[in-house]
Amino acid sequence: MDSELQAQLNGIKQQTNSGLDNQKQAAILLKAVEETIVEQNGELSPIAYFGTLMTIVEQAITNESPVISPSVYLLAIIFPKINANVLKLKFTDIASMLESILVQYNNDAPVVRSTIICIEYLLFAIDNTAWSSETLSKKLFQHLLNLCVDARPKVRKRASDAIKRILSNPPPPTTNHPCCTLAIDFCSVVLEDYISTSGGSKFSKENDSEVLDVLVFLKLMITVFARQSRNDKIRAKLDKLLKALLGLPRRSSGSGDVILTQWVFEVLDTLLNSNNEERLDFKVVDMVVKSLIELSPYENDSILTPTWLAVLTNGFFRLSTYVCDYELGNLQDADKYLVEFITYDYDALFSSFFNRIFTTLYQSNNQIKSSILEKSTVLLSSMIENGVSKSMIEKAKSSNDSTLSQIIQLLEGSLTDIHQRENWGHILLISAAIFRRLGSDSPELIHQILSHIMEFRDDSSFSSSFPYKLEIQTALQSAIQGLGIEMFLSYVPLNIENEHKNQPRRPYLLSNICDALQEPNVTSEWSPYRILGPHKLNFFVSQLLPLSDRMLVKAGGLWETGRELEAKLYETLGLQIWSLFPFICSSLPCDVGDSFGFLAKHLGRVLTTSPTQLYPSLPSSADLRPVVCHGLENLVESFHLLASLTAEDGDDDEKIRWKEVSVSLGKEVIGKIQKYGNRFLSSLCNIYTAIDLDVLQNLKTKGQALQVIHEKSIQHYEKTIKKILLIVDPTSLSDYFMTMVKILLEKQNITVKTEVDLLSIYSILDLVLIMIPFLEKSDLQETPLTIFYNFCQDHIKEKDATFQKKSYKCLTHVLPFLTTIQLNLKVLIDNLLADVVLSNLSPGSTRLRVKLIQLVVEHLEDKELTLYFIPEALPEVMLATKESSEKTRDSAYDCLVAMGHKMIEGGVGESIESLNMNDDESMDESKPHKGDLSIREFIMMVAAGLAGETSHMQSAAIASLGRLLFEFYDSMNIELVTELLKTVLLAMSFKNREVTKAALGFVKVSIVCLPKDVLHVYLESIITTILTHSRDHKSHFKSKVRHIFERLIRKFSYEEIDQHFPQSDKKLILNIKKRKESLKKRKAMDDADGNNGKSVVKPVKEKAFVEAFHDSGSELDSDEEKDEHYIPEKFKDEGKQTSKLKSQTIIREDDVIDFLDKQIVSQVSHVKLSKKMNKTNDNLKKNSDGRYVIDESDSDEDNAKPVISEDYYKQSLASEVSFTRAADGRVKFVKRKRDEDDVEGGEVTTTVGKRWNAGTKKRKEVEQDNNKLLGRQYKAKRAGGDVKRAGMPDPHAFIPLTSKIVGNMNKSTKLDGTLKNILKAAHKGNEIGTKARSIKVKGINKSNKKHK
């Protein structure tokens, strides 16, 4: 049975005890089905499941049993695995039963969804005859169509997907599905019925949801309908459907419902999408586009208008493809309607729609929303790039009243109209599109637009106040890409030397040209075979290079006279011009064949002349040779790529033709460059091997090594030499290679080699390594390559470490290119094992020597030579596994594996019967080795290292045995494996930490790769042996031992391991168990939070061994714990250090704490409790342990927003105590006032357009915010005091207790002083009033006395 189906069924059977009834019922039923099949002596195959479940379903329908739901669910799982012939044979019975289920259980959504799956695979299996003869097939399909407008979303989705799959795969041999017209008619009827009803009727409102469901279904299916519209009947039905679809917006506009209209636009957008490669019928596209133009929504509708513009973008692109194919002659059988449209209607439709959109949106007095303007810019740019035909361009050249001429005049007028300045950004992007389309065909048509744009750029206020700098740059880059550098600079000269008195200097154009050259070449459907770019090398050589020469010469003269600033300026301009060369070469220049000869002279002069002689006295002593190399590399690489194109399966005729033209052009240009290939190769090789003594000696005085300096200085030329070697004649290359070898042979005769001589030899060796892969192979006994091979063999004994290392490197590169006869491995082996070679071996050559040994082993064919060389080289390779360099260790392990494979190839004879480690016999290299080629023989050779005198050799032997066991345990017999395991366990008793560490690694490898039955015999020995190393007080291997026990528990079980544990060590395995349970609990919590989507990448075998042997980290430990152990204390993250302040201890764990756990520190917090933390809510419930109990409920409170953790990094930048770090690491605090908004620091996003008054508006907003503070809202407009405001408190003096005032010393003090003055004035006024009242009372009393 299929493994995927088996896994799915096993997952269902595990739900027997599930709390959900539907899962439980399905599991119980599946087990019953399997028991029934087994009782009848049947095989558990899909057809057996199918027959049993069909019987159960039939009985359930008859008896109306509740088992119908799980049985249909299981049937839906089995159905995809049933052979199509079985479904065809039983079609009538199956279809009748499925129809009965749909009718009888229509209200049960899970049953309906499962039934849909069964119907889908049933209808997918039948052939065209069944569709034509069986009425049940179309009846079932009609049921699916009805379910597409079902009220239940999951049912609708399942039915729609089923119909799409059925219709997308018509039964052979037909290309159109018989039910395609049925589906189209279904949608048309629903839409037409809705359109025919009145907008306010109750029936219409009830059908709104049904129409919406049909539109969702159409968005999924419209491309399937269009794909089959080549049939006349289907095309007529589709036309009818589209007319009904286009009638919906008019119908829904009366009710103000824009949702249906928006969905109509989305359906049409899916139909016309440019990513859809299916070619639509022209009449359909024409009808849709013209109807959409009539359905123009309100110009400022932010919902409908962007979608409408996007649909028309794809619509006009579709129309342009027909026009393009017609003009290119690709439509040989074009019908009359298409020809008439292209001849008479296309230009008028294009022009009228472009003018309408442009005048409505860009020249309107209304404030058009930015999203609409952006979509319209995309539309108009696409129309120009894809829709401007060749006939339109020809008419524009001859007449100013043509369609294209009017569009160009419209753009020109807009760029000069100050009233449209808010939309200049969008107009500039449209101008960029017209540059790309017309630049190469008709540059004279766009000259005036370019002039207007340059007026913006040359204006003195451009840098300070022009808001559309990015759009200007985009337009200029498009003009450079479309016109080419030569034509562009003829319209807009650089004028650096002020040769045009009436124009400004434009050195800034050099950077624009550089940016434009880095963009890909402009391509167009109207010129499919225009492969080369518009730029010319001739213009660079004849115009730009002389200008650069004048700039650099002038810079040198100014530098000598002391005018340093001007000298650096002119030098920068000269170097900027040279920096264009690599990018011009990578753009496939169109005149390489004619101009490369002239260019080669200039490039050769630069390469062969010293930088100080070429342009003396330059401020920076610039070297132009790397720039020349980069340019040559790009030129050769780009055209070599063209010449190497090949046709692939699936390419159509047009693509094959394009590749043929590209290959022809590439080979033609490569042929021109090839004539100068030998000269460039000679020049580059001379530079590569030349030693500049003056420069090197100057740098040496600064303490730098000559070799490092020289290698850095020549690294630019290596890639260029490789590219040149691609096109050089093989015979010439062989001759030049022989010349290099002769130079090496001459230099080896020098008795006393100076440092310069050695540097020259190093450079030549590196150069020869570059050439080796490009040499022609030859079977001759003596070739330049074999001579070099013998030279390298003679120099692996050199005492100079670098010379020796490069000799080994050359040998590793040469070996794969020589035949067995040419290699003469006997001589090479004698040289490798010579005493003088071994005595002079430098540590830096170890990795390359091991790699060379591996290559020699892989090339060995003679059995006797193999049995001689492997034992001799084995000790050295084993010791290399203990090197400090990881690359060396990896190479040593690879060499061991290669030796093992070579031994397996030799035979299966075994000469050593047992492994006795009690013998005093050691690895004696002088003793001849006898035995057969087998893996056992090889294992015995490696195991002999355990008898070595040093612990280093013993640990290396154990590590090597672990790698071989990991690689070849399938090829070993049980006796050999058990002997190895016993031997390593015995070695673990050695009183040496290095050997013990290697033995523990071997045990881990054994646990990983050996089967349980083999390990089970020695399980008790393994446990008791490794436990001795966990009791060490210094705990050197505690983590390794813990990891081994974790793997053992995973391999066997906790109970089985526990049986062999001594009572004194029980706490270790208990601790592992607790940690494992805690890990499971955390994983379960993470899975509940949705964090289980991490993908697991299986490591390759080499990495898996390294992880198994060397990794000692427990799987229960976190990664941070491993990393923190190796980080010095002063470099650890301050945020992770434990606070040393006085604190109280809080245990932050909802489970029992395991104090043996390494993470106990992370579970216990040391914090200083504040008063707020002590104030707890006593109303919360507590259990018997004193823990708080929080009731979980499904109330709305559970849907509250989650608490967002604080972003401390953001606070450090935006808070009142924000700070930054200087270059030396010091902290600088940024002074911010508390009432300061984040306006200045925040990012202000503005769209294209509306940028002129952005700063003013922002300042006004800040002023309005400030006016809300400090009671300013009470201030009178025309008076000096305050006034009362409606609905607000009286304007009495007070200090507002806001966070923006309190704590600010300046504002608090100011307000405090204001309050004191008010109080003093009030107190003084009170005293004056009191005195006045007392005086008045006294006066009254006196008058009363007089009266009396």
Side-chain angles (χ1 to χ4, degrees):
M1 189 167 57
D2 185 48
S3 58
E4 182 181 356
L5 177 61
Q6 185 64 51
Q8 196 171 3
L9 295 179
N10 290 337
I12 295 173
K13 286 186 288 186
Q14 293 176 1
Q15 306 295 332
T16 308
N17 299 321
S18 174
L20 299 176
D21 291 339
N22 56 342
Q23 294 180 354
K24 187 175 182 180
Q25 291 175 4
I28 294 172
L29 179 62
L30 179 59
K31 287 187 175 181
V33 169
E34 291 183 347
E35 291 174 0
T36 303
I37 296 173
V38 172
E39 288 175 359
Q40 296 175 356
N41 298 324
E43 183 184 354
L44 293 177
S45 61
I47 195 66
Y49 284 106
F50 178 72
T52 307
L53 288 172
M54 286 290 292
T55 305
I56 295 173
V57 171
E58 289 178 0
Q59 294 176 358
I61 295 174
T62 305
N63 303 328
E64 297 184 358
S65 172
V67 80
I68 186 68
S69 181
S71 58
V72 177
Y73 170 73
L74 294 174
L75 192 63
I77 295 174
I78 300 297
F79 234 98
K81 307 299 180 182
I82 304 301
N83 191 286
N85 294 327
V86 176
L87 297 178
K88 291 177 186 177
L89 187 63
K90 297 290 184 179
F91 175 78
T92 305
D93 298 335
I94 299 173
S96 302
M97 186 190 69
L98 294 177
E99 185 185 13
S100 302
I101 296 174
L102 283 181
V103 174
Q104 191 170 344
Y105 296 94
N106 188 42
N107 296 327
D108 193 340
V111 174
V112 173
R113 290 201 304 272
S114 300
T115 308
I116 291 173
I117 297 175
C118 299
I119 294 174
E120 173 187 349
Y121 283 94
L122 178 64
L123 296 181
F124 185 76
I126 61 177
D127 53 16
N128 192 37
T129 306
W131 279 107
S132 303
S133 59
E134 293 283 352
T135 57
L136 271 175
S137 58
K138 294 185 178 180
K139 198 171 181 181
L140 285 177
F141 190 83
Q142 187 64 49
H143 280 296
L144 291 180
L145 289 174
N146 294 332
L147 290 174
C148 288
V149 293
D150 193 88
R152 295 161 292 190
K154 291 184 179 180
V155 173
R156 289 200 306 269
K157 181 67 169 59
R158 182 62 259 181
S160 301
D161 292 340
I163 290 177
K164 183 177 181 180
R165 184 169 182 267
I166 292 170
L167 294 185
S168 299
N169 299 276
T174 60
T175 57
N176 304 313
H177 201 281
C179 285
C180 186
T181 55
L182 192 64
I184 296 175
D185 288 338
F186 173 79
C187 298
S188 300
V189 169
V190 175
L191 298 181
E192 289 173 352
D193 290 346
Y194 178 78
I195 294 172
S196 62
T197 58
S198 60
S201 67
K202 181 179 179 181
F203 176 75
S204 174
K205 293 179 181 179
E206 293 176 352
N207 280 359
D208 282 351
S209 60
E210 184 180 3
V211 173
L212 189 59
D213 294 339
V214 169
L215 292 175
V216 175
F217 173 69
L218 275 176
K219 186 178 180 182
L220 182 69
M221 296 297 303
I222 192 68
T223 54
V224 179
F225 296 157
R227 195 178 302 125
Q228 302 185 26
S229 63
R230 294 187 181 93
N231 182 277
D232 294 337
K233 184 178 179 180
I234 296 178
R235 183 168 61 248
K237 298 281 186 181
L238 184 59
D239 290 345
K240 181 181 178 182
L241 173 62
L242 291 174
K243 289 177 181 178
L245 192 65
L246 292 167
L248 277 182
R250 297 187 183 91
R251 163 67 177 77
S252 60
S253 60
S255 60
D257 185 8
V258 298
I259 296 178
L260 293 180
T261 304
Q262 189 175 7
W263 270 99
V264 169
F265 290 159
E266 290 186 9
V267 171
L268 295 175
D269 187 46
T270 304
L271 174 67
L272 301 173
N273 198 328
S274 57
N275 295 328
N276 181 15
E277 298 181 357
E278 186 65 32
R279 192 174 186 86
L280 303 177
D281 183 65
F282 171 73
K283 293 181 179 179
V284 172
V285 178
D286 181 41
M287 183 264 292
V288 170
V289 170
K290 290 180 179 178
S291 302
L292 278 172
I293 293 175
E294 297 176 359
L295 292 175
S296 174
Y298 172 57
E299 62 188 24
N300 219 7
D301 188 342
S302 60
I303 298 176
L304 293 180
T305 304
T307 310
W308 179 73
L309 293 170
V311 178
L312 283 171
T313 301
N314 292 326
F316 271 94
F317 176 80
R318 287 284 183 178
L319 288 179
S320 66
T321 56
Y322 290 101
V323 180
C324 179
D325 289 342
Y326 177 77
E327 292 195 352
L328 294 177
N330 296 331
L331 294 180
Q332 303 296 336
D333 54 347
D335 58 5
K336 182 179 179 182
Y337 183 83
L338 175 59
V339 175
E340 291 179 354
F341 172 81
I342 295 173
T343 307
Y344 302 108
D345 298 340
Y346 179 71
D347 289 6
L349 178 66
F350 186 95
S351 176
S352 61
F353 183 71
F354 188 98
N355 292 332
R356 173 184 167 187
I357 296 296
F358 196 92
T359 55
T360 303
L361 299 181
Y362 296 105
Q363 296 180 347
S364 173
N365 295 326
N366 298 333
Q367 195 75 12
I368 305 299
K369 295 178 181 178
S370 59
S371 60
I372 298 174
L373 290 175
E374 289 173 3
K375 286 291 184 180
S376 63
T377 303
V378 173
L379 167 62
L380 299 183
S381 300
S382 176
M383 289 179 64
I384 289 176
E385 282 196 80
N386 303 310
V388 174
S389 63
K390 290 186 176 182
S391 59
M392 293 171 65
I393 296 174
E394 295 299 327
K395 292 177 183 177
K397 289 180 180 179
S398 58
S399 173
N400 293 330
D401 297 330
S402 65
T403 299
L404 185 57
S405 299
Q406 293 176 3
I407 292 174
I408 294 173
Q409 293 168 9
L410 188 63
L411 292 174
E412 292 175 1
S414 300
L415 290 173
T416 56
D417 188 357
I418 193 64
H419 298 292
Q420 299 183 36
R421 66 175 188 170
E422 293 290 346
N423 297 320
W424 276 348
H426 297 284
I427 297 171
L428 286 170
L429 295 178
I430 299 172
S431 302
I434 207 168
F435 288 148
R436 291 191 293 268
R437 177 66 186 96
L438 302 181
S440 56
D441 294 331
S442 308
E444 66 277 6
L445 296 178
I446 56 177
H447 181 201
Q448 199 62 34
I449 297 178
L450 183 60
S451 300
H452 293 318
I453 294 175
M454 291 308 301
E455 290 176 4
F456 291 144
R457 183 62 183 84
D458 294 332
D459 192 88
S460 58
S461 62
F462 174 81
S463 59
S464 60
S465 61
F466 192 77
Y468 307 116
K469 297 182 180 65
L470 183 60
E471 288 77 15
I472 283 278
Q473 184 177 356
T474 302
L476 291 178
Q477 290 180 10
S478 299
I480 295 167
Q481 288 177 289
L483 294 167
I485 300 176
E486 181 178 8
M487 185 63 67
F488 177 80
L489 292 181
S490 66
Y491 290 153
V492 187
L494 290 170
N495 202 26
I496 293 177
E497 298 175 311
N498 201 22
E499 57 269 24
H500 302 277
K501 304 296 183 182
N502 58 342
Q503 294 191 32
R505 300 173 189 260
R506 301 187 182 98
Y508 59 83
L509 287 177
L510 290 174
S511 62
N512 288 331
I513 294 172
C514 186
D515 293 339
L517 288 172
Q518 296 180 54
E519 297 294 328
N521 289 338
V522 176
T523 57
S524 175
E525 295 292 334
W526 301 93
S527 302
Y529 301 114
R530 182 184 295 158
I531 300 166
L532 303 180
H535 314 295
K536 296 182 179 179
L537 283 176
N538 182 49
F539 178 75
F540 179 79
V541 176
S542 61
Q543 299 295 327
L544 294 181
L545 274 188
L547 176 61
S548 175
D549 288 341
R550 294 194 295 271
M551 295 295 103
L552 295 174
V553 170
K554 194 169 185 178
L558 292 172
W559 185 260
E560 291 178 348
T561 59
R563 298 162 67 178
E564 298 180 358
L565 184 61
E566 296 178 65
K568 290 182 179 179
L569 176 63
Y570 281 106
E571 182 191 30
T572 303
L573 290 173
L575 295 179
Q576 261 191 312
I577 295 172
W578 264 107
S579 67
L580 302 178
F581 174 65
F583 301 114
I584 293 176
C585 292
S586 62
S587 67
L588 297 174
C590 57
D591 63 337
V592 177
D594 300 330
S595 306
F596 189 76
F598 188 39
L599 174 66
K601 298 178 182 178
H602 291 269
L603 301 183
R605 180 174 64 91
V606 175
L607 289 174
T608 56
T609 309
S610 173
T612 56
Q613 297 176 0
L614 186 63
Y615 297 109
S617 303
L618 282 181
S620 63
S621 301
D623 189 359
L624 296 175
R625 290 180 295 185
V627 179
V628 172
C629 289
H630 193 193
L632 282 173
E633 178 188 342
N634 290 345
L635 190 67
V636 174
E637 183 179 18
S638 55
F639 281 100
H640 187 268
L641 184 63
L642 273 185
S644 58
L645 289 175
T646 56
E648 299 177 356
D649 295 338
D651 291 347
D652 53 13
D653 295 340
E654 185 177 352
K655 195 167 186 178
I656 293 174
R657 171 61 180 158
W658 181 87
K659 287 185 176 181
E660 291 175 353
V661 175
S662 301
V663 170
S664 176
L665 284 172
K667 289 182 178 180
E668 181 182 354
V669 173
I670 290 296
K672 297 284 185 181
I673 302 175
Q674 196 173 19
K675 296 179 181 178
Y676 303 90
N678 293 334
R679 301 180 192 176
F680 280 117
L681 180 62
S682 178
S683 300
L684 290 170
C685 292
N686 290 337
I687 298 171
Y688 192 83
T689 56
I691 309 297
D692 194 338
L693 296 179
D694 297 333
V695 176
L696 294 179
Q697 290 300 330
N698 291 336
L699 293 174
K700 187 177 181 181
T701 58
K702 300 179 181 179
Q704 302 182 32
L706 284 183
Q707 180 189 347
V708 177
I709 300 166
H710 181 62
E711 288 179 355
K712 287 183 178 180
S713 63
I714 63 176
Q715 63 184 354
H716 306 285
Y717 308 103
E718 184 173 340
K719 289 184 179 180
T720 309
I721 292 174
K722 288 181 179 179
K723 298 301 178 184
I724 295 294
L725 289 174
L726 290 172
I727 62 173
V728 171
D729 180 55
T731 305
S732 302
L733 176 59
S734 180
D735 296 340
Y736 195 83
F737 183 85
M738 189 62 202
T739 304
M740 294 290 102
V741 175
K742 289 179 180 178
I743 296 174
L744 287 174
L745 294 174
E746 292 173 0
K747 288 187 176 292
Q748 76 173 350
N749 297 325
I750 302 175
T751 55
V752 180
K753 298 182 180 66
T754 63
E755 195 168 9
V756 175
D757 293 332
L758 289 174
L759 283 177
S760 179
I761 293 175
Y762 301 160
S763 301
I764 295 174
L765 288 174
D766 292 336
L767 180 61
V768 169
L769 282 180
I770 297 173
M771 294 181 178
I772 287 174
F774 300 93
L775 293 173
E776 280 188 327
K777 290 187 177 182
S778 175
D779 295 333
L780 298 177
Q781 186 65 30
E782 186 173 344
T783 62
L785 191 58
T786 57
I787 297 173
F788 177 68
Y789 170 65
N790 295 326
F791 169 83
C792 294
Q793 288 189 63
D794 295 337
H795 289 83
I796 58 176
K797 60 186 178 183
E798 287 285 341
K799 292 184 178 180
D800 181 74
T802 306
F803 197 176
Q804 181 189 122
K805 184 177 180 180
K806 289 186 178 294
S807 298
Y808 276 113
K809 185 177 181 180
C810 291
L811 285 174
T812 58
H813 281 71
V814 169
L815 247 67
F817 296 95
L818 295 177
T819 62
T820 305
I821 298 175
Q822 292 172 335
L823 284 175
N824 196 2
L825 291 177
K826 183 67 173 66
V827 176
L828 176 60
I829 290 173
D830 292 340
N831 288 329
L832 284 174
L833 300 179
D835 294 338
V836 64
V837 173
L838 294 174
S839 61
N840 293 335
L841 181 64
S842 64
S845 304
T846 305
R847 182 180 67 85
L848 292 169
R849 178 176 170 84
V850 172
K851 179 66 176 175
L852 180 60
I853 292 173
Q854 179 185 346
L855 292 173
V856 171
V857 169
E858 291 173 351
H859 282 81
L860 285 172
E861 296 179 357
D862 183 70
K863 181 179 178 180
E864 294 181 0
L865 190 60
T866 302
L867 199 55
Y868 164 74
F869 177 65
I870 289 181
E872 293 290 337
L874 184 59
E876 183 180 356
V877 177
M878 290 167 58
L879 288 174
T881 62
K882 303 295 292 182
E883 289 289 333
S884 57
S885 171
E886 183 182 359
K887 291 183 179 179
T888 305
R889 294 197 303 270
D890 292 342
S891 298
Y893 284 129
D894 292 341
C895 186
L896 282 172
V897 172
M899 288 179 172
H901 284 295
K902 181 58 66 175
M903 293 292 287
I904 290 177
E905 292 175 5
V908 295
E910 299 177 358
S911 62
I912 301 178
E913 297 299 330
S914 64
L915 179 62
N916 188 0
M917 296 308 301
N918 297 324
D919 296 340
D920 296 331
E921 187 177 335
S922 61
M923 299 183 69
D924 186 3
E925 296 183 2
S926 62
K927 185 177 181 179
H929 301 281
K930 295 182 180 180
D932 295 330
L933 295 180
S934 65
I935 189 61
R936 181 182 181 86
E937 182 76 16
F938 185 58
I939 293 292
M940 295 304 111
M941 294 178 190
V942 177
L946 291 171
E949 297 180 356
T950 63
S951 59
H952 199 64
M953 186 64 192
Q954 294 169 358
S955 63
I958 295 174
S960 302
L961 288 173
R963 182 67 181 93
L964 295 175
L965 178 65
F966 186 83
E967 185 74 24
F968 300 108
Y969 70 92
D970 291 334
S971 304
M972 298 180 185
N973 54 34
I974 300 300
E975 292 78 8
L976 179 60
V977 173
T978 54
E979 287 179 7
L980 280 179
L981 195 56
K982 287 190 296 183
T983 304
V984 174
L985 289 176
L986 179 63
M988 200 177 294
S989 62
F990 293 175
K991 300 297 183 180
N992 186 280
R993 193 183 306 167
E994 187 177 4
V995 176
T996 303
K997 182 179 179 181
L1000 289 173
F1002 182 89
V1003 171
K1004 280 200 298 181
V1005 172
S1006 303
I1007 295 171
V1008 169
C1009 61
L1010 294 182
K1012 289 176 63 175
D1013 53 349
V1014 177
L1015 284 175
H1016 192 274
V1017 180
Y1018 298 95
L1019 184 59
E1020 185 175 0
S1021 300
I1022 293 173
I1023 293 174
T1024 55
T1025 304
I1026 64 177
L1027 273 176
T1028 59
H1029 299 286
S1030 68
R1031 300 168 186 150
D1032 185 9
H1033 180 67
K1034 295 182 180 179
S1035 66
H1036 294 299
F1037 302 113
K1038 276 190 175 181
S1039 61
K1040 283 184 173 292
V1041 171
R1042 177 189 293 274
H1043 194 194
I1044 291 173
F1045 280 122
E1046 288 172 4
R1047 288 185 175 271
L1048 282 172
I1049 292 172
R1050 192 193 313 170
K1051 188 93 172 183
F1052 297 93
S1053 66
Y1054 171 79
E1055 292 76 12
E1056 192 166 0
I1057 301 300
D1058 185 57
Q1059 291 176 2
H1060 303 288
F1061 249 81
Q1063 192 63 33
S1064 58
D1065 296 306
K1066 288 285 187 180
K1067 60 181 182 180
L1068 175 60
I1069 194 169
L1070 288 173
N1071 176 251
I1072 294 174
K1073 181 180 180 182
K1074 288 181 180 180
R1075 294 172 65 184
K1076 193 170 184 179
E1077 292 174 352
S1078 178
L1079 178 64
K1080 285 183 178 180
K1081 190 172 183 180
R1082 286 198 299 269
K1083 284 185 176 180
M1085 294 174 62
D1086 291 341
D1087 293 345
D1089 294 338
N1091 298 328
N1092 57 350
K1094 298 180 181 179
S1095 59
V1096 178
V1097 181
K1098 294 184 179 179
V1100 295
K1101 200 163 189 178
E1102 291 78 4
K1103 296 295 183 182
F1105 167 74
V1106 173
E1107 181 180 353
F1109 188 84
H1110 294 288
D1111 184 25
S1112 61
S1114 170
E1115 63 180 2
L1116 306 180
D1117 295 336
S1118 64
D1119 294 336
E1120 291 184 2
E1121 184 180 354
K1122 298 176 187 177
D1123 296 339
E1124 287 290 316
H1125 179 69
Y1126 298 100
I1127 300 175
E1129 198 67 34
K1130 63 180 180 178
F1131 295 116
K1132 287 184 179 180
D1133 188 3
E1134 295 178 359
K1136 296 179 182 178
Q1137 293 180 358
T1138 307
S1139 175
K1140 296 182 180 180
L1141 300 175
K1142 293 182 179 180
S1143 60
Q1144 297 185 20
T1145 302
I1146 303 175
I1147 299 176
R1148 300 182 294 102
E1149 179 67 35
D1150 57 353
D1151 202 352
V1152 178
I1153 295 300
D1154 179 10
F1155 285 96
L1156 290 178
D1157 192 352
K1158 287 184 178 181
Q1159 294 182 338
I1160 183 64
V1161 178
S1162 65
Q1163 298 173 10
V1164 180
S1165 296
H1166 298 278
V1167 297
K1168 188 174 181 180
L1169 293 179
S1170 63
K1171 295 181 180 179
K1172 293 182 179 179
M1173 293 178 65
N1174 290 328
K1175 295 179 180 180
T1176 57
N1177 189 355
D1178 295 331
N1179 296 327
L1180 293 176
K1181 298 178 182 179
K1182 294 182 180 180
N1183 61 6
S1184 58
D1185 297 332
R1187 302 178 183 176
Y1188 288 110
V1189 178
I1190 301 175
D1191 294 331
E1192 296 182 356
S1193 62
D1194 297 331
S1195 62
D1196 294 337
E1197 294 177 358
D1198 295 338
N1199 298 326
K1201 294 182 179 179
V1203 179
I1204 301 175
S1205 59
E1206 296 180 344
D1207 190 346
Y1208 298 107
Y1209 173 74
K1210 188 174 181 181
Q1211 288 184 11
S1212 69
L1213 299 179
S1215 65
E1216 298 165 3
V1217 290
S1218 59
F1219 64 90
T1220 57
R1221 288 189 181 271
D1224 56 357
R1226 291 181 292 112
V1227 174
K1228 290 185 177 182
F1229 287 92
V1230 181
K1231 295 181 180 179
R1232 293 174 66 95
K1233 297 181 181 180
R1234 294 183 69 115
D1235 61 342
E1236 200 172 348
D1237 290 335
D1238 291 335
V1239 174
E1240 298 175 2
E1243 182 182 357
V1244 181
T1245 57
T1246 56
T1247 56
V1248 179
K1250 324 297 185 255
R1251 299 184 194 167
W1252 288 97
N1253 299 320
T1256 307
K1257 292 179 180 179
K1258 188 57 69 175
R1259 285 194 296 271
K1260 288 181 179 179
E1261 293 175 2
V1262 175
E1263 291 176 1
Q1264 291 174 1
D1265 292 339
N1266 290 336
N1267 289 336
K1268 297 177 181 178
L1269 301 176
L1270 307 177
R1272 293 182 184 176
Q1273 59 269 34
Y1274 295 104
K1275 187 176 181 180
K1277 292 181 179 179
R1278 297 182 181 84
D1282 294 340
V1283 295
K1284 290 185 177 183
R1285 300 291 185 189
M1288 297 178 67
D1290 292 342
H1292 298 301
F1294 66 95
I1295 298 178
L1297 298 177
T1298 65
S1299 60
K1300 296 183 178 181
I1301 302 298
V1302 177
N1304 191 311
M1305 184 176 293
N1306 295 331
K1307 292 185 178 180
S1308 298
T1309 305
K1310 185 176 179 181
L1311 292 174
D1312 190 27
T1314 304
L1315 180 61
K1316 290 180 180 178
N1317 292 334
I1318 293 171
L1319 294 176
K1320 286 180 180 180
H1323 185 64
K1324 187 176 181 180
N1326 185 27
E1327 290 179 351
I1328 294 173
T1330 303
K1331 290 181 180 179
R1333 284 195 299 273
S1334 63
I1335 293 173
K1336 185 176 181 181
V1337 170
K1338 289 180 181 179
I1340 294 174
N1341 292 335
K1342 289 181 180 180
S1343 63
N1344 289 338
K1345 290 179 180 179
K1346 291 179 182 180
H1347 181 70
K1348 289 179 179 179

